[in-house]
Amino acid sequence: MNPEFRRQLSLELSPARLVLMPAILLMLAICVFVIEGKQPLVYLHKGAMTLVGLLAACVGTFTALSSINDELNERTWDQQRMSAMGPWRMAWGKLLGGPSYAWYGALLCTAAALLCGFWLGELAETVLVLVLTIVGACALHCAMMASRLYSMDPNKPATSRNVWVLVVLVFLLLQLVSSLVVGLDSLLGGDGGGAWWGLHLGSGALLLIFAAASLLLGLLALWRAMSMQLSVPTTPWAWALGNAAGCLLLVGLVPSGTGRALTGMLLLALVTYYAAALESQVAQRWRALLYSAQHGQWRRFWQNMPLWPISWCMAFAVLLPAYLLWNADPLSKRSQLGPLAFMVLLHVLRDCGIYLVFSLRKSSRSPLGMTLLVVFVLSALLPAMFWSLGLAPLFEPLFGAFDPRLSSNFQHAPALGWLAWSGMLVQLAVLAVALVWRLKAITPRSAAKDDIFAL
């Protein structure tokens, strides 16, 4: 048996806790029968399925994250990293062992829900809901654990407050997903379902496909995140595969080709923001990346490549063929979407670059907070100050698309006007200079003079 899985079971499933869980659930069932005398099975059925979701998604996610956070708080993570277990065994040992007590209670509630569903004649619907809940909860465990591993700093152990905040966010996410599932039948056209990449599927079948794909992608993310923490050299092919698979799943619900291109681009742009804020943007990684590129060490180059440039390049790769298909002359008409979509990608690149500049600083201030402050000044304060002069797009280029007065004098200009494009190019140029200056400042003095990024 996996030693990590066995260790987690010994911590979670003590004899006293094994007796306590069914005792509490039995008392809750007795309360239902005492309070509701007319239809106790109906309320017991609904309550059991609700408890399955709460125990699996909320409590299970909390304990799964605790299996990682406890290692940091107890200063035993280095021992875990130096063990003989590989990334996959370590990953599934914590995934199944950490939330084992929550799953113990969830499985007891599952058995009760199945019995009630059988007696009520709703067994098929009960099985579908339970399978979706269990698979979705497992996917949620994988995603949250992978995110924790990617953002983990061994020098900053997680506090219980941060974990509880995360649990509250998971609970809100669960409510959002539940609302989406409840309204999915009407969204897809009732029991007849809807079209996904031209295939007419029922809502149940479509939900099963999405749940199974989410679980597979979550397992892939968890394995690669654990590989990174165990210092196993990897290239970012799994991240690119996950981005492509996620976009294919969601874009298939969009009927039109233009809508699919825009949806895929926007999804990848959001993933770019997520990856930039999640990863640790350390200076050593960027110096190693530049050093590998200068000396032709391409495998090492890809091993040191951060994740957010991969997502941004994929978004550009989605936009480029659509940009060419929308119009042969992108500068001819204001109403076309190509220039605006390309400006959105440049906007994402600018924001991630600002975050990188603050991440490379040796300061205790949060890079994310400073980035939000700078973006607020560029996108709100300065455009408001210079709006009457028609110079708002110089600071926030996207404003050029919402005020025809600002670009009415440029008949042959792109949709946003030359002022917007000039402003974005100036901002990117200033950002490039700031990044080069920051990398020079953090380069060791012993490096060669002709190679400012030498390690």
Side-chain angles (χ1 to χ4, degrees):
M1 183 183 289
N2 189 324
E4 179 61 24
F5 178 61
R6 185 171 62 248
R7 188 176 74 89
Q8 293 293 335
L9 289 181
S10 64
L11 294 174
E12 295 292 328
L13 301 180
S14 62
R17 301 185 78 189
L18 289 175
V19 176
L20 182 62
M21 178 65 76
I24 294 176
L25 295 177
L26 181 59
M27 287 189 290
L28 290 175
I30 293 174
C31 290
V32 171
F33 276 94
V34 171
I35 296 174
E36 180 58 41
K38 295 181 179 180
Q39 294 179 327
L41 286 180
V42 174
Y43 287 92
L44 186 61
H45 180 244
K46 294 180 179 179
M49 290 196 296
T50 302
L51 284 176
V52 170
L54 291 175
L55 287 172
C58 290
V59 181
T61 302
F62 174 78
T63 52
L65 290 172
S66 296
S67 67
I68 299 174
N69 294 328
D70 290 346
E71 302 288 349
L72 295 177
N73 296 332
E74 296 173 4
R75 306 295 182 181
T76 58
W77 180 248
D78 289 337
Q79 298 178 8
Q80 294 280 326
R81 296 180 59 193
M82 297 179 65
S83 64
M85 282 187 295
W88 176 240
R89 297 187 68 194
M90 179 74 74
W92 76 258
K94 289 187 177 295
L95 175 64
L96 297 182
S100 57
Y101 189 62
W103 281 112
Y104 172 59
L107 291 178
L108 292 176
C109 294
T110 299
L114 289 174
L115 289 175
C116 293
F118 176 75
W119 286 329
L120 294 172
E122 302 177 358
L123 184 59
E125 295 83 355
T126 303
V127 171
L128 176 61
V129 172
L130 290 175
V131 170
L132 289 174
T133 302
I134 292 173
V135 175
C138 291
L140 185 61
H141 294 352
C142 294
M144 300 305 292
M145 292 176 68
S147 299
R148 180 70 184 101
L149 288 170
Y150 271 115
S151 60
M152 188 170 64
D153 186 355
N155 298 320
K156 297 179 180 179
T159 62
S160 58
R161 184 185 64 178
N162 295 335
V163 178
W164 278 113
V165 169
L166 186 57
V167 171
V168 172
L169 293 177
V170 169
F171 180 76
L172 295 177
L173 180 62
L174 177 65
Q175 299 301 313
L176 178 62
V177 172
S178 301
S179 301
L180 178 62
V181 171
V182 170
L184 191 62
D185 283 340
S186 60
L187 180 65
L188 297 178
D191 295 334
W196 181 66
W197 290 108
L199 301 175
H200 292 278
L201 301 173
S203 58
L206 189 58
L207 282 172
L208 286 175
I209 291 175
F210 272 72
S214 299
L215 179 57
L216 292 176
L217 293 176
L219 288 172
L220 179 63
L222 178 58
W223 168 55
R224 294 308 294 260
M226 188 65 74
S227 299
M228 181 196 70
Q229 285 296 330
L230 298 182
S231 301
V232 177
T234 56
T235 54
W237 63 266
W239 178 258
L241 177 62
N243 288 345
C247 284
L248 288 176
L249 284 172
L250 296 175
V251 168
L253 298 174
V254 182
S256 64
T258 301
R260 287 173 179 173
L262 288 175
T263 302
M265 187 205 73
L266 292 177
L267 287 174
L268 290 169
L270 291 176
V271 172
T272 303
Y273 279 125
Y274 173 75
L278 185 68
E279 283 189 293
S280 178
Q281 306 283 350
V282 295
Q284 182 179 1
R285 185 172 187 177
W286 285 95
R287 289 202 303 266
L289 182 74
L290 296 174
Y291 182 85
S292 302
Q294 289 176 353
H295 293 81
Q297 301 174 359
W298 297 115
R299 181 171 181 80
R300 188 184 176 191
F301 172 84
W302 288 112
Q303 290 174 353
N304 289 289
M305 173 65 71
L307 298 181
W308 69 263
I310 302 294
S311 299
W312 190 88
C313 290
M314 292 182 68
F316 182 77
V318 169
L319 177 64
L320 184 60
Y323 188 87
L324 297 177
L325 292 175
W326 279 332
N327 51 304
D329 184 9
L331 308 182
S332 60
K333 294 182 180 179
R334 175 182 171 79
S335 61
Q336 293 172 334
L337 295 173
L340 179 62
F342 183 62
M343 180 62 77
V344 170
L345 288 185
L346 294 181
H347 204 287
V348 174
L349 183 63
R350 185 203 70 177
D351 297 342
C352 292
I354 294 173
Y355 181 77
L356 179 58
V357 169
F358 287 111
S359 297
L360 296 178
R361 294 178 61 197
K362 296 181 180 179
S363 174
S364 59
R365 296 180 179 178
S366 171
L368 182 59
M370 297 298 297
T371 301
L372 293 177
L373 178 61
V374 172
V375 171
F376 175 73
V377 172
L378 287 176
S379 301
L381 292 183
L382 291 178
M385 294 171 59
F386 292 92
W387 184 269
S388 60
L389 300 176
L391 299 178
L394 190 62
F395 305 99
E396 179 48 73
L398 294 178
F399 282 156
F402 304 108
D403 187 2
R405 173 174 59 87
L406 297 175
S407 56
S408 59
N409 296 325
F410 304 101
Q411 298 179 357
H412 300 288
L416 296 170
W418 288 114
L419 188 61
W421 291 100
S422 301
M424 178 56 72
L425 291 177
V426 169
Q427 293 180 32
L428 291 177
V430 172
L431 193 59
V433 173
L435 284 173
V436 172
W437 173 77
R438 180 61 59 188
L439 287 172
K440 286 183 178 180
I442 62 178
T443 301
R445 295 179 180 274
S446 59
K449 294 183 178 180
D450 58 344
D451 187 3
I452 64 172
F453 301 125
L455 294 178

